Amino acid sequence: MTEDRAERPELFLVSDGTGETAGHAVLAAATQFQTRFRVHTFGDVRHEATLRRIVERAALARGLIVFTLVNESLTQELRRLATEKGVPVVDLLGPLISAAAKRYGLMPQFRPGLLHSFSEDYFQRVEAVEFAVHHDDGANLHSLFQADIVLVGVSRTGKTPLSMYLAQRGYRTGNVPIVPGIEPPRELLEIDPAKVVGMVVDASTLLDIRRARMRQLHAPPYLTYADADALRDELRRARRLFSTQGWRCMDVTGRAVEENAARVIEHIQFGQARD
């Protein structure tokens, strides 16, 4: 029997910014419960009248309010209105800001939306994403030397998703495929080896990935692309190339892109990473 939508517990997210901070926190907390929540997000809240309407809705729904307000007067008003209506509230940012201010003797700015404001870091990430798009799958090799990170590997080892994730973290990332029977491009071999990470995947896992790809493309199943012996030979040659060039070799089998990104960043920053 499906859960009645009207009976789901309701959460009201209130922010004077985008509401993304509260959204991420609530999503993490919600995974601990074997139920589905109805989540209502109210961003860019700057007026007491808006708070009143939200609290009234939350009271009718017997909901819980989670807020990330940095404006002190709005915070006090929300607490007052919620108390009047008997609605519980959770302040995600206030206690942390207060604790940091007290501990380090700092004065908070109390400016809404700073996390998502346009900044040098924001434009750096935009530039990095553009770089990754333009240097995906061996494209634009003439400017690959400008990369912070270069990922190398045989087909279907997850180079593109990892490149895009690293780019969103602000790292200009290119990726270059290792193609059987074709020498690696000169531009790749001239890159500082410390920037290059070779990616490998367990042979049986990679075989399953490639065969699934072949089925999607309705390609003949007997091509060497999805042949077990040919694939193992590809991986051996790739590992040999990585060793010869002094590139870090990273096995990404069964690991999430976030974990692999952390390992790559650690390697780039400290010259080596732990497997």
Side-chain angles (χ1 to χ4, degrees), residues 155-156 207-221 223 225-226:
S155 176
R156 312 310 291 182
L207 183 63
D208 290 340
I209 294 171
R210 287 194 178 183
R211 286 178 173 173
R213 180 60 173 164
M214 298 285 282
R215 289 192 294 270
Q216 289 177 349
L217 298 176
H218 303 291
L223 294 180
Y225 178 79

Side-chain angles (χ1 to χ4, degrees), residues 3-273:
E3 184 180 16
D4 186 353
R5 180 179 176 84
E7 293 179 356
R8 295 182 200 166
E10 300 191 40
L11 301 175
F12 294 77
L13 313 188
V14 182
S15 173
D16 43 19
T18 64
E20 290 184 22
T21 301
H24 291 315
V26 164
L27 179 62
T31 60
Q32 300 299 316
F33 300 93
Q34 293 183 332
T35 188
R36 296 174 61 193
F37 291 87
R38 294 184 65 188
V39 179
H40 309 277
T41 302
F42 302 89
D44 199 30
V45 175
R46 306 295 171 91
H47 304 287
E48 294 179 3
T50 306
L51 290 178
R52 184 177 296 277
R53 289 194 294 270
I54 295 170
V55 172
E56 288 174 352
R57 284 189 56 182
L60 289 173
R62 296 182 56 81
L64 168 68
I65 293 178
V66 179
F67 68 93
T68 55
L69 298 171
V70 296
N71 183 293
E72 191 171 354
S73 63
L74 284 179
T75 298
Q76 291 177 353
E77 181 64 10
L78 175 58
R79 290 188 181 278
R80 186 186 68 79
L81 292 169
T83 299
E84 284 183 358
K85 297 291 186 178
V87 178
V89 296
V90 178
D91 182 357
L92 291 181
L93 290 183
L96 178 57
I97 292 174
S98 297
K102 182 178 180 180
R103 176 65 173 172
Y104 302 109
L106 301 173
M107 177 59 68
Q109 297 184 59
F110 293 116
R111 286 173 51 198
L114 285 181
L115 178 62
H116 301 282
S117 62
F118 291 103
S119 63
E120 183 178 345
D121 179 65
Y122 170 83
F123 289 109
Q124 178 181 338
R125 293 197 304 272
V126 170
E127 180 187 356
V129 170
E130 291 178 348
F131 186 94
V133 170
H134 293 145
H135 295 82
D136 183 40
D137 203 31
N140 294 303
L141 289 168
H142 65 280
S143 54
L144 185 64
F145 70 94
Q146 297 174 349
D148 300 313
I149 301 168
V150 178
L151 304 178
V152 183
V154 301
S155 176
R156 312 310 291 182
T157 48
K159 298 182 296 297
T160 294
L162 184 54
S163 292
M164 297 306 167
Y165 186 90
L166 288 165
Q168 291 170 9
R169 296 286 302 274
Y171 294 90
R172 290 175 297 175
T173 309
N175 72 81
V176 181
I178 301 300
V179 182
I182 300 178
E183 291 296 316
R186 172 182 53 81
E187 294 87 348
L188 172 62
L189 301 180
E190 293 175 351
I191 294 288
D192 179 356
K195 293 183 177 182
V196 184
V197 175
M199 297 170 59
V200 295
V201 176
D202 172 74
S204 60
T205 300
L206 185 56
L207 183 63
D208 290 340
I209 294 171
R210 287 194 178 183
R211 286 178 173 173
R213 180 60 173 164
M214 298 285 282
R215 289 192 294 270
Q216 289 177 349
L217 298 176
H218 303 291
Y222 49 80
L223 294 180
T224 55
Y225 178 79
D227 177 78
D229 291 334
L231 184 149
R232 282 192 287 269
D233 185 59
E234 273 191 69
L235 289 172
R236 280 194 298 268
R237 290 176 181 272
R239 288 180 181 274
R240 190 178 308 128
L241 173 66
F242 302 160
S243 177
T244 301
Q245 295 298 320
W247 298 336
R248 158 76 182 199
C249 181
M250 187 174 75
D251 191 329
V252 299
T253 307
R255 288 187 161 108
V257 67
E258 296 87 353
E259 182 180 358
N260 288 322
R263 295 163 70 209
V264 170
I265 292 170
E266 184 180 0
H267 168 63
I268 296 301
Q269 290 180 339
F270 301 105
Q272 62 180 5

